[in-house]
Amino acid sequence: AIVVSDDHALWLVNQLGEYVGDTPVVFGGINNYTKAKNNRLERVAGIVEVSRAVENIKLAKTLQPDLNKLYLLADRSYTGQE
């Protein structure tokens, strides 16, 4: 099996679909998944990532009502900028 951990890895494996053949592909951390993201692969399964930043911030404020500051960290990579 081939394991991919984000959108970019799934894109790469999809581009190599003719070489991957019927090798199972297992993915995780895929954003806004659609069947088109793996249209060249024959055997695919995985877990889709659903980002709900606003809902999570509201939940944090509910669970920690005295929260004054909330820091969000990301790097400058392509994935970090999404």
Side-chain angles (χ1 to χ4, degrees), residues 12-82:
L12 176 61
V13 172
N14 192 53
Q15 297 304 305
L16 300 171
E18 67 181 280
Y19 302 104
V20 172
D22 65 350
T23 303
V25 176
V26 179
F27 65 78
I30 304 302
N31 298 303
N32 304 312
Y33 178 80
T34 65
K35 183 88 171 133
K37 287 193 175 189
N38 66 308
N39 61 353
R40 296 182 186 169
L41 303 174
E42 296 178 24
R43 297 173 63 193
V44 182
I47 299 189
V48 178
E49 180 177 321
V50 177
S51 178
R52 297 198 173 154
V54 173
E55 290 89 346
N56 284 326
I57 292 170
K58 287 179 183 178
L59 177 60
K61 290 172 72 174
T62 300
L63 296 173
Q64 304 264 340
D66 297 330
L67 183 68
N68 293 319
K69 292 182 182 181
L70 178 65
Y71 296 94
L72 302 174
L73 303 176
D75 61 15
R76 293 187 177 183
S77 68
Y78 182 80
T79 302
Q81 299 301 310
E82 290 183 343

